[in-house]
Amino acid sequence: MAARNTTPPTGEERIEDIDVSAEMQGSFLEYAYSVIYSRALPDARDGLKPVQRRIVYQMSEMGLRPDRGHVKSARVVGEVMGKLHPHGDSAIYDALVRLAQPFSMRLALVDGHGNFGSLDDGPAASRYTEARLAPAAMAMTEGLGEDVVDFVPNYDNQFQQPDVLPAAYPNLLVNGASGIAVGMATNMAPHNLNEVVAAATHLLEHPRATLDELMTFVPGPDLPSGGVIVGLEGVRDAYATGRGSFKTRARVSIESVGPRRTGIVVTELPYLVGPERIIEKIKDAVQSKKLQGISDVQDFTDRKNGLRLVITIKTGFDPQAVLERLYRLTPLEDSFSINNVALVEGKPRTLGLKEMLEVYLGHRVSVVTRRTRYRLERRRERLHLVEGLLIAILDIDEVIQVIRSSDDSETARARLMQVFDLSQVQAEYILELRLRRLTRFSRIELENERDELKKEIAELEELLGSDALLRAQVARELDAVADQLGTPRRTLLTNAAPAAPRSSGAAAAPASLEIADTPCRVVLSASGRMLRIELSGEEGGGVVAPTRRAKHDAVRAEVDTTTRGDVVAVTSAGRGIRFSPVDLPSVPGNAVQLAAGTRADQYLALEKGEKLVSLVSLSDDAPIALGTAQGVVKRVTTGDLAGKTDAPLITLKPGDRVVGAAAAGDADELVFISSDAQLLHFPASAVRPQGRAASGMAGMRLTAGIEAVWFGVVPAGTQDAVVVTVAAASETLAGADSGSVKVTPFSEYPAKGRGTGGVRAHRFVRGEDTLRLAWAGASPARAVGSDGAARTLPDAVGKRDGSGVSPDAVIGFLGSPLGV
């Protein structure tokens, strides 16, 4: 027991003994009921909490439609607090902000102007931001003036407010909800409007539809931030029982983010997870040694391009393995627990998907029914007045005489009712009518209006008399809202397994994060793409050549090495750039697609105008042969590149450039092809190896204005080598003239000595004066267009100095097939 000290009006002290447990129980229940019903839980019909409903309604009353200007948020907060919601301005503004945040709401109800916050930062004060209703909110309040819902008094009985909004779409499912009440909480996931409407209309037509049928329309949540949902078992549990959970992942891609740098690019994050939180968790994991293989994290997010978080991977680490580790240690994979608790007839209930749709559809059928009754009543009232007017117009002279002969309006009304058999409402309306309405034209208008009203009344009566027609009308209106407000799905649904659960025992990164040093083949396509092909480890490589021509399948160079081995890239500037292929895009040997490779100039960060001409292996004992556009040839040993990551291989004369390079043993043939269609080949033994600083020696003698368009090596013993030449007019732009192409056996060309001019390889026809492309190597040859698409080459002909034939399309690059 406890004593309560009260002071009566007389000033005398009075003490009452009360039961503390009973007092606490009663007070707590009143508080709990208030929190549950009036603050924390949404109504299952319109999906809004009271404060949200009051904000949307009051903004509608203020005329803040989408076609009007924004007003200060502080003004909205003041109106809502003063008239409908006396719970403090901060609570109202927080609710207003959430209604305007596109990352919180799947279909925002408020159109905000200004800083309404982000996932990592709060909004500006209400005096700095502005707001108006969004189109989705207009659909929520449509029809409020037609007695579609009940109105209840506000907190001081001075104003009226709707008990629930008409809600032209299932807002509870579309936007979800979250709230903590006393002894219960709600957490609902947003969904796609088009999918929810499709499920609702199906349920209208098939009231006994099963959950599986509804899930064909609503397969899972559609989160505002996009992302990926992995594993749908928990989603189905939530749709069946109202409780469940699922995992969401960021949407990522593994891309080249710089010269010889691979990164994980994040473009979408799990629901309500911000990039700053991700960055903080990554830094904590790296500092605590739980995560290895990350060199940098940068946030390039902006308003124009959206979210872009770049996680740079260290050389030698497998990006996919690092990504799996990130899923375990950071919110790049997050869990969302569904608890579908909402108010149904004033009581909290846990609802499954079908129950939520049934409650909403029941509300919507009620709204359409009440609206139809309201419209029917208004049209009946108007028809009654129109019929009275028509009676008066038919005998207007007598009507005027009756009114003029009456002493007052009461007498005039009574006499009109008696003489013309009118109702009191009709007589009153005639008395208030302006004389200009009493014309023949007005009579025609009134007759047309009467006929139209009768037609509408019949339609409305038919609608009210049929439950099937009412449901069909609800379905049509839902479809119209979906057409107006619906957007494509953002979240990808997959049945992939989520990452292994986090555990404190995984303190050190496993060795599998690093890429193993396995055999591979590095390929440079003729169109300038590089790729790493994983070999099976068997003798001979293990690469399966594509059975069908694909993009970029003409190969300029390929080198067998290991994942962590060294490869030298030879550029047109005469540089030798040593790199490890560990960060190149890789494909298995049985699924080679050269189009998946990265651009070589970007991967190696070449200078402007510099091009990659070939790849060579440091493990090859044969010297590297280089040929330049001015006909200079040189051989340099790979030992001269020991310890060098970027070193010149030749000292070029002004204006000269390297046009080809390859490993060349003494028995191999070095081949030059010039722009005036001359081909020269001689043994590599005629060129002694020189140091890196040397300028080379004369390889092919060229006349003024002529340059070598191709240089390469035909290995000794090659039996089926061919020469491909493409002629064109020098005055036409590259790609504008397909010219002519010819394929000739290499054996048709006699060898000449080094420093000579060679023999003719292609006879120019009218309009042709230069070789635009040339190539020599083992048959078959490959040709692709500038876009990498395959081109067809003609059959080989025996005449070395013959003319070519027109190709099927413009040829952009020449090379060999993969593995030759």
Side-chain angles (χ1 to χ4, degrees):
M1 300 292 291
R4 176 188 292 161
N5 190 344
T6 61
T7 303
T10 58
E12 298 178 1
E13 186 179 69
R14 188 180 68 183
I15 298 176
E16 294 184 10
D17 290 331
I18 61 171
D19 187 341
V20 175
S21 61
E23 177 71 16
M24 290 294 294
Q25 183 177 8
S27 299
F28 182 78
L29 287 177
E30 290 181 8
Y31 166 74
Y33 178 80
S34 174
V35 171
I36 292 171
Y37 182 74
S38 302
R39 298 177 73 174
L41 298 184
D43 192 297
R45 294 170 292 178
D46 62 5
L48 296 176
K49 301 178 185 178
V51 62
Q52 296 171 329
R53 185 179 305 113
R54 290 163 183 168
I55 289 171
V56 173
Y57 171 69
Q58 189 59 42
M59 291 181 71
S60 175
E61 290 294 293
M62 295 169 66
L64 303 180
R65 297 189 294 271
D67 57 346
R68 302 286 182 86
H70 296 80
V71 302
K72 286 292 184 183
S73 300
R75 178 182 167 190
V76 176
V77 171
E79 288 283 326
V80 174
M81 182 172 61
K83 293 182 178 180
L84 304 176
H85 195 77
H87 291 290
D89 57 345
S90 61
I92 298 172
Y93 185 55
D94 288 345
L96 173 67
V97 165
R98 188 182 188 279
L99 293 177
Q101 290 176 332
F103 52 83
S104 297
M105 306 284 286
R106 186 60 180 83
L107 209 59
L109 300 181
V110 172
D111 177 15
H113 182 68
N115 178 16
F116 275 79
S118 66
L119 289 167
D120 296 309
D121 198 8
S126 60
R127 61 183 179 274
Y128 298 120
T129 61
E130 298 177 340
R132 65 182 178 189
L133 290 177
M138 301 305 297
M140 292 291 293
T141 59
E142 184 180 5
L144 270 177
E146 297 182 290
D147 190 34
V148 293
V149 295
D150 293 332
F151 276 71
V152 296
N154 72 329
Y155 65 92
D156 60 1
N157 293 323
Q158 292 190 24
F159 301 99
Q160 294 288 311
Q161 61 181 336
D163 181 52
V164 66
L165 293 184
Y169 60 88
N171 181 64
L172 183 66
L173 274 165
V174 172
N175 278 322
S178 63
I180 301 175
V182 177
M184 64 185 66
T186 184
N187 199 35
M188 302 186 185
H191 291 76
N192 185 272
L193 175 62
N194 293 328
E195 297 174 355
V196 172
V197 166
T201 54
H202 180 78
L203 190 60
L204 276 171
E205 298 171 359
H206 307 87
R208 295 186 178 180
T210 64
L211 177 61
D212 290 334
E213 292 177 13
L214 295 178
M215 286 189 66
T216 61
F217 301 98
V218 185
D222 187 23
L223 308 174
S225 57
V228 181
I229 294 179
V230 293
L232 302 179
E233 296 83 1
V235 173
R236 194 187 191 288
D237 291 341
Y239 286 166
T241 66
R243 297 177 184 270
S245 64
F246 59 87
K247 296 281 188 180
T248 60
R249 280 184 177 179
R251 188 168 296 199
V252 302
S253 60
I254 297 175
E255 304 175 9
S256 175
V257 296
R260 285 163 279 180
R261 287 291 185 185
T262 302
I264 298 171
V265 179
V266 182
T267 54
E268 294 176 5
L269 288 174
Y271 186 40
L272 300 181
V273 175
E276 290 186 12
R277 182 180 166 196
I278 297 292
I279 294 173
E280 180 183 355
K281 291 293 185 180
I282 291 175
K283 289 181 178 179
D284 291 344
V286 171
Q287 291 173 359
S288 62
K289 307 298 183 182
K290 294 181 179 179
L291 182 62
Q292 295 179 2
I294 293 177
S295 62
D296 193 17
V297 182
Q298 293 176 293
D299 186 5
F300 296 101
T301 303
D302 57 33
R303 292 182 181 272
K304 181 179 179 180
N305 301 311
L307 177 70
R308 184 174 175 85
L309 194 64
V310 178
I311 304 170
T312 306
I313 306 300
K314 291 181 180 178
T315 300
F317 283 81
D318 185 356
Q320 195 63 48
V322 174
L323 178 60
E324 289 297 324
R325 191 72 173 169
L326 284 170
Y327 285 147
R328 294 183 57 192
L329 299 176
T330 72
L332 284 178
E333 180 177 285
D334 201 18
S335 178
F336 188 96
S337 297
I338 298 177
N339 190 23
N340 295 330
V341 179
L343 295 175
V344 180
E345 297 180 354
K347 299 178 182 178
R349 279 183 53 190
T350 302
L351 305 172
L353 175 62
K354 185 175 181 179
E355 288 78 11
M356 285 189 283
L357 289 173
E358 287 174 338
V359 172
Y360 169 76
L361 291 175
H363 167 62
R364 194 59 194 170
V365 169
S366 172
V367 166
V368 173
T369 302
R370 293 181 59 163
R371 185 188 65 198
T372 305
R373 288 174 181 165
Y374 177 87
R375 291 177 177 177
L376 177 62
E377 187 63 27
R378 299 291 82 77
R379 280 154 180 75
R380 284 174 175 171
E381 293 174 356
R382 179 60 185 170
L383 178 63
H384 187 60
L385 295 177
V386 169
E387 289 175 340
L389 282 176
L390 285 172
I391 293 173
I393 289 176
L394 288 174
D395 203 354
I396 188 62
D397 293 335
E398 187 175 354
V399 169
I400 295 175
Q401 181 62 33
V402 168
I403 295 174
R404 291 185 64 185
S405 62
S406 300
D407 295 333
D408 51 35
S409 61
E410 292 293 334
T411 304
R413 180 170 61 248
R415 292 184 61 191
L416 286 174
M417 292 171 60
Q418 180 181 5
V419 173
F420 297 101
D421 193 21
L422 299 176
S423 68
Q424 182 177 345
V425 174
Q426 289 174 322
E428 187 70 35
Y429 187 71
I430 291 172
L431 286 175
E432 296 178 355
L433 190 67
R434 294 183 179 183
L435 290 177
R436 66 182 180 185
R437 291 289 308 276
L438 305 179
T439 63
R440 182 179 179 186
F441 184 69
S442 294
R443 175 185 173 184
I444 295 174
E445 286 183 340
L446 288 172
E447 288 176 344
N448 291 336
E449 184 180 359
R450 178 196 60 191
D451 296 341
E452 186 65 27
L453 285 170
K454 287 183 177 180
K455 179 181 177 182
E456 292 179 1
I457 289 172
E459 292 174 350
L460 292 172
E461 288 176 340
E462 183 183 10
L463 184 60
L464 281 176
S466 172
D467 182 67
L469 289 178
L470 274 174
R471 288 177 171 269
Q473 178 65 24
V474 172
R476 282 194 296 272
E477 294 179 3
L478 282 171
D479 288 336
V481 172
D483 292 339
Q484 177 190 359
L485 302 175
T487 56
R489 166 170 279 276
R490 298 176 186 171
T491 303
L492 178 66
L493 305 177
T494 70
N495 278 315
R502 299 179 178 91
S503 63
S504 58
S512 59
L513 289 183
E514 295 190 25
I515 300 175
D517 191 19
T518 57
C520 69
R521 179 171 297 169
V522 181
V523 178
L524 171 64
S525 73
S527 52
R529 290 179 174 270
M530 283 202 300
L531 187 72
R532 187 178 87 241
I533 301 174
E534 303 293 345
L535 302 182
S536 63
E538 299 174 0
E539 190 69 26
V543 175
V544 178
T547 57
R548 182 176 59 87
R549 293 290 304 277
K551 278 196 170 187
H552 306 282
D553 73 341
V555 175
R556 178 175 295 173
E558 52 184 311
V559 172
D560 286 344
T561 180
T562 62
T563 306
R564 296 178 177 275
D566 288 326
V567 177
V568 176
V570 182
T571 74
S572 59
R575 289 197 297 156
I577 303 174
R578 190 169 68 177
F579 69 94
S580 172
V582 66
D583 287 322
L584 279 175
S586 65
V587 295
N590 58 355
V592 178
Q593 289 290 336
L594 298 185
T598 186
R599 285 180 51 181
D601 56 345
Q602 294 180 351
Y603 181 79
L604 297 171
L606 301 183
E607 301 292 337
K608 184 177 181 180
E610 187 178 15
K611 296 181 179 179
L612 180 60
V613 297
S614 188
L615 300 175
V616 292
S617 174
L618 282 179
S619 60
D620 199 331
D621 295 332
I624 303 172
L626 301 93
T628 75
Q630 295 181 4
V632 176
V633 66
K634 179 184 178 181
R635 285 208 298 166
V636 59
T637 59
T638 55
D640 290 338
L641 295 174
K644 304 290 191 301
T645 58
D646 188 346
L649 300 178
I650 185 174
T651 301
L652 294 173
K653 296 178 181 179
D656 201 4
R657 70 183 188 281
V658 175
V659 294
D666 288 344
D668 297 334
E669 289 289 310
L670 306 184
V671 184
F672 277 98
I673 304 177
S674 63
S675 59
D676 61 348
Q678 297 295 307
L679 183 148
L680 171 68
H681 69 92
F682 51 87
S685 58
V687 182
R688 69 180 187 279
Q690 297 176 308
R692 290 188 298 105
S695 301
M697 57 187 70
M700 184 178 191
R701 187 177 68 247
L702 302 173
T703 59
I706 303 301
E707 63 179 19
V709 296
W710 188 84
F711 171 81
V713 176
V714 175
T718 304
Q719 299 296 325
D720 55 354
V722 294
V723 176
V724 183
T725 51
V726 179
S730 58
E731 295 180 354
T732 60
L733 295 175
D737 180 15
S738 60
S740 65
V741 59
K742 183 170 71 76
V743 181
T744 311
F746 182 72
S747 58
E748 293 295 318
Y749 298 88
K752 295 281 188 175
R754 179 181 62 82
T756 61
V759 296
R760 187 162 65 175
H762 195 118
R763 180 191 301 168
F764 296 140
V765 297
R766 186 175 180 180
E768 298 176 346
D769 60 359
T770 186
L771 278 189
R772 186 164 51 84
L773 294 172
W775 178 88
S779 179
R782 285 283 191 262
V784 297
S786 298
D787 60 350
R791 299 285 188 260
T792 302
L793 290 174
D795 295 333
V797 295
K799 195 173 181 180
R800 62 173 177 79
D801 60 347
S803 59
V805 297
S806 297
D808 57 347
V810 177
I811 295 175
F813 306 99
L814 296 170
S816 63
L818 185 66
V820 177

